[in-house]
Amino acid sequence: MKPVAPGRVQNAPAKPLMLFDGDCHFCRHWIERWRQATGSAVDYEPFQKTAAVYPEIPSSAFERAVQLIEPDGQVFSGAEAVLRALARGDRWVADWILRLYQRSRLFAAMADGAYAVVAQNRAFASAGTRLLWGDDVRRSEFFAARRWFLRALGFTYLVAFVSLWFQIDGLIGARGILPVTEFLHAVHEQLGPGGAWQFPTLCWLNASNAFLHFLCAAGAGIAVLLMAEIAPLLCLLALFVLYLSLAVAGQTFLEFQWDILLLEAGFLAIFFAPMQWRRTPETQARVSRIGLFLLKLLLFKLIFLSGAVKLTSGDDTWWKLTAFDYHYWSQPLPTALAWFADKSPLWLKKATVAGTLMVELVVPFFIWAPRRLRLIAFTLLVLLQIGIALTGNYGFFNLLTVALALLLLDDSVIARSLPRRTTPPPSRAQSCLSVCAAVILFSTLPLNVMLIRQALNPEAHWPAGLRELYIAVQPLRIVNGYGLFRVMTKTRAEITVEGSADRITWLPYKFRWKPGDLETAPRWVAPHQPRLDWQMWFAALSEPQSNPWFLAFCTRLLENEPAVTGLLENNPFPAAPPRYLRATTREYRFTTALERRKTGHWWTAGPPIEYLPPVALGGR
């Protein structure tokens, strides 16, 4: 029931005054939250100190609910008092919630009922507050989180650009496996001028090897500037354009989930960056709540979809908790620790699968929860990424995911020694950026909802308008679906490529990172991503004709192209190219502990099976 307002007081304060129970732990903490929201617009005092000034208000009213005294002498209590006070500091509350309370009897009854329940169970509410928020329930600030997130994002960009820089000639250079010049020429021939929008890249201006190197070098340099907090907004704009250009030019070699994740995170970070052009201790720009929400939504989507697709794929290894019976040795580039993890007892593997699904399906909802649950989410997400990184090489994926998880830590957690910053009024530039962020939010939110819905129900149909919008923004790769290991690979075929001068003696090409020699331990290469080695894993899952890049790779080997052979650990034909080339596959699996003790091998391999029959250039 709605508390009865005592009416008016004669000794009215100069500005709104809220009186509360100073002996109540729950009241004291939430008053600090409201004080933060209203600033100097409302005063707060414990009734034990000030009640005598207002004899018109009975003592029972103070014990039952907070009392708000307006400058005109009116007194409001309970839920209405709270809403009226908060409306002084938040226009959204003033324009919507308070108006709804005043105009809707149903909403008013619900708000008053909820307030009464809390007021009558303050000990329980206080315990819940400690459990969920700790000793500080004030609205979380994310100045420090933003700072460390942008530094981590800058480092991820740096790793991505430098890693690609060392490989780019052999992958997409003029004499690489998939030359970008040929790719863009084919796009122009097929799509005409419209191809520039479908495949947005600066390489339309120049696709030479020197320009590709310039893109990588510029990206690495600007990433360092971002890490140094120099003009972060401009840095993020430039980094997005540069990496999008390389991702489009890279074709199949830059279509990994962490490539699109970096683009989406980098794009959304533009609307989260401070509007400062140089780093100064005095400058403190407003943290964009919309930008923060968009990045948290990306983290939620990444983790939740990764779990949802596992259970909706129809792969029973996830339902039966047997996925890790295969994962450690069948993943693209395992580490040596994966061999030891594969030897763990069956119960531990099942527990690990169950724990992974729990983290991916339940923990993402903690992203939106109070501080204590957010800390749990951060801890579990980071532990999951550490586990993935210890047993497998996934490029910069783990770095980027941890960077996003940093946004779950507010200033009270990672900046305890720093003074609490006040939020200055937004500048015109900040307001403009906030408007842009709001437009991005409302235009992409339906697309993200549909992506989540489709993960839960793969047969879900897109409304025509949303499908068209999704297709329109796809070239920019700023709204994406995710889901690693939707179906667990239960076999591992490794391709061996061999060359010959006479079709009698065949010499193998040795790759730098993918499994080859049985006695060579799996190596740790992350956060660098050897993109050719990764693609060889995918190529082994299908026929050569389904992988045009593999046939182009074989052509370059027959030509003894240095840019391509430089991607390998050895070239068995240093003086003259081979006349013939062939490829076979063998089924690989980790050795058992007994086999390892006897042979010293890390892998066992089955008999070779023809993958690509002997081929030659020009019918030689």
Side-chain angles (χ1 to χ4, degrees):
M1 178 179 293
K2 181 178 178 179
V4 179
R8 291 177 178 270
V9 297
Q10 293 183 355
N11 190 19
K15 60 181 178 180
L17 172 65
M18 179 173 282
L19 303 179
F20 63 95
D21 186 353
D23 295 330
C24 171
H25 170 273
F26 177 80
C27 301
R28 291 198 309 270
H29 279 73
W30 282 97
I31 286 293
E32 289 304 310
R33 172 78 173 239
W34 301 339
R35 193 194 305 274
Q36 179 192 34
T38 59
S40 60
V42 179
D43 287 334
Y44 299 85
E45 293 285 349
F47 78 81
Q48 291 88 345
K49 176 180 177 182
T50 318
V53 181
Y54 307 103
E56 299 90 344
I57 306 176
S59 58
S60 59
F62 288 121
E63 295 172 357
R64 184 173 62 248
V66 295
Q67 307 293 317
L68 179 69
I69 306 175
E70 295 281 4
D72 63 359
Q74 288 192 87
V75 180
F76 300 91
S77 63
E80 186 172 8
V82 174
L83 291 177
R84 283 181 172 273
L86 293 179
R88 298 277 181 164
D90 193 323
R91 286 189 58 85
W92 192 81
V93 175
D95 293 342
W96 295 99
I97 302 181
L98 180 58
R99 186 177 301 176
L100 183 62
Y101 179 92
Q102 293 170 336
R103 296 184 179 181
S104 171
R105 293 183 178 180
L106 175 61
F107 180 80
M110 292 173 60
D112 291 335
Y115 185 93
V117 169
V118 173
Q120 294 167 13
N121 298 276
R122 282 185 279 179
F124 179 78
S126 181
T129 296
R130 287 193 180 96
L131 178 65
L132 297 177
W133 278 274
D135 292 327
D136 188 354
V137 301
R138 288 177 292 183
R139 187 177 71 169
S140 297
E141 298 291 353
F142 293 89
F143 292 113
R146 178 177 65 183
R147 185 177 184 181
W148 286 104
F149 164 72
L150 292 178
R151 284 178 171 178
L153 181 62
F155 181 69
T156 305
Y157 264 124
L158 176 63
V159 168
F161 280 112
V162 173
S163 173
L164 181 59
W165 195 353
F166 288 109
Q167 311 170 68
I168 200 161
D169 285 351
L171 297 177
I172 61 172
R175 296 289 300 165
I177 298 171
L178 296 176
V180 64
T181 50
E182 297 179 9
F183 169 66
L184 295 180
H185 178 73
V187 169
H188 183 74
E189 286 290 318
Q190 185 173 357
L191 301 177
W197 169 251
Q198 293 297 320
F199 297 91
T201 173
L202 294 175
C203 292
W204 286 107
L205 305 175
N206 189 330
S208 66
N209 283 17
F211 189 71
L212 293 175
H213 284 263
F214 166 76
L215 294 178
C216 292
I222 296 173
V224 172
L225 294 180
L226 178 60
M227 293 169 62
E229 303 177 71
I230 299 174
L233 179 61
L234 294 180
C235 287
L236 288 165
L237 284 167
L239 289 168
F240 175 77
V241 172
L242 291 171
Y243 202 75
L244 176 63
S245 296
L246 289 168
V248 171
Q251 305 158 74
T252 190
F253 291 112
L254 273 92
E255 292 181 345
F256 295 94
Q257 290 205 27
W258 36 96
D259 290 316
I260 62 174
L261 177 63
L262 180 56
L263 285 169
E264 187 169 357
F267 176 76
L268 297 179
I270 294 171
F271 306 99
F272 186 56
M275 295 292 296
Q276 62 190 66
W277 308 111
R278 62 189 180 89
R279 178 184 174 187
T280 61
E282 296 81 13
T283 303
Q284 186 52 247
R286 177 187 291 264
V287 170
S288 168
R289 294 282 166 177
I290 297 178
L292 179 63
F293 175 83
L294 288 167
L295 287 164
K296 285 185 175 180
L297 178 61
L298 173 58
L299 178 61
F300 174 88
K301 183 173 62 171
L302 170 67
I303 303 300
F304 181 74
L305 291 186
S306 294
V309 298
K310 291 178 174 65
L311 297 186
T312 59
S313 65
D315 185 352
D316 62 356
T317 64
W318 293 109
W319 287 97
K320 295 180 179 179
L321 306 182
T322 59
F324 285 177
D325 291 353
Y326 310 95
H327 169 71
Y328 294 117
W329 55 268
S330 68
Q331 63 182 316
L333 294 180
T335 67
L337 289 179
W339 186 93
F340 294 96
D342 183 59
K343 304 303 172 287
S344 57
L346 181 60
W347 67 265
L348 181 56
K349 290 181 182 178
K350 288 191 173 185
T352 306
V353 176
T356 299
L357 292 174
M358 185 274 293
V359 171
E360 292 181 340
L361 293 172
V362 177
V363 171
F365 292 95
F366 293 0
I367 291 172
W368 316 108
R371 180 180 299 113
R372 289 279 178 88
L373 293 182
R374 280 192 281 108
L375 288 177
I376 292 174
F378 171 80
T379 302
L380 293 177
L381 291 178
V382 170
L383 288 176
L384 175 62
Q385 295 308 310
I386 291 174
I388 294 172
L390 289 175
T391 57
N393 291 288
Y394 293 92
F396 52 81
F397 170 73
N398 309 110
L399 283 176
L400 184 51
T401 305
V402 171
L404 288 168
L406 289 173
L407 298 174
L408 304 182
L409 305 178
D410 58 53
D411 288 0
S412 68
V413 176
I414 60 177
R416 293 182 185 276
S417 61
L418 299 179
R420 180 170 289 272
R421 297 176 172 88
T422 58
T423 303
S427 65
R428 181 176 298 179
Q430 289 170 338
S431 298
C432 186
L433 194 66
S434 296
V435 171
C436 294
V439 171
I440 294 298
L441 171 61
F442 288 111
S443 59
T444 61
L445 187 58
L447 300 179
N448 283 315
V449 170
M450 279 305 305
L451 289 170
I452 294 172
R453 179 186 173 193
Q454 197 168 42
L456 297 174
N457 179 16
E459 298 180 359
H461 295 289
W462 285 62
L466 282 183
R467 169 61 67 180
E468 293 172 358
L469 177 61
Y470 184 64
I471 293 174
V473 300
Q474 264 307 93
L476 298 177
R477 309 182 187 191
I478 58 174
V479 184
N480 308 289
Y482 300 95
L484 293 172
F485 297 105
R486 181 187 187 101
V487 176
M488 182 55 59
T489 306
K490 299 179 182 178
T491 60
R492 182 190 193 92
E494 286 295 341
I495 299 175
T496 300
V497 180
E498 299 172 305
S500 175
D502 53 12
R503 296 191 66 169
I504 298 175
T505 302
W506 294 90
L507 301 177
Y509 290 87
K510 187 174 181 180
F511 289 77
R512 292 183 185 275
W513 304 105
K514 85 177 191 70
D517 295 336
L518 304 182
E519 67 275 10
T520 301
R523 299 156 78 180
W524 204 332
V525 61
H528 169 61
Q529 184 186 357
R531 295 178 181 268
L532 175 60
D533 296 64
W534 256 87
Q535 286 296 342
M536 292 295 291
W537 183 84
F538 287 106
L541 300 177
S542 57
E543 299 297 320
Q545 292 74 21
S546 302
N547 299 281
W549 71 265
F550 180 77
L551 301 177
F553 168 61
C554 293
T555 300
R556 291 297 189 227
L557 292 183
L558 287 168
E559 296 170 345
N560 225 11
E561 173 55 46
V564 176
T565 58
L567 299 173
L568 305 174
E569 184 167 322
N570 81 311
N571 178 10
F573 300 91
R579 295 187 62 189
Y580 306 98
L581 207 74
R582 73 178 185 185
T584 58
T585 62
R586 301 173 70 189
E587 293 291 332
Y588 271 57
R589 185 162 181 168
F590 278 151
T591 54
T592 64
L594 179 60
E595 290 170 333
R596 171 121 175 78
R597 285 195 297 270
K598 287 184 176 180
T599 66
H601 291 178
W602 294 81
W603 299 95
T604 61
I609 301 173
E610 183 178 82
Y611 182 74
L612 179 70
V615 295
L617 288 178
R620 290 185 299 176

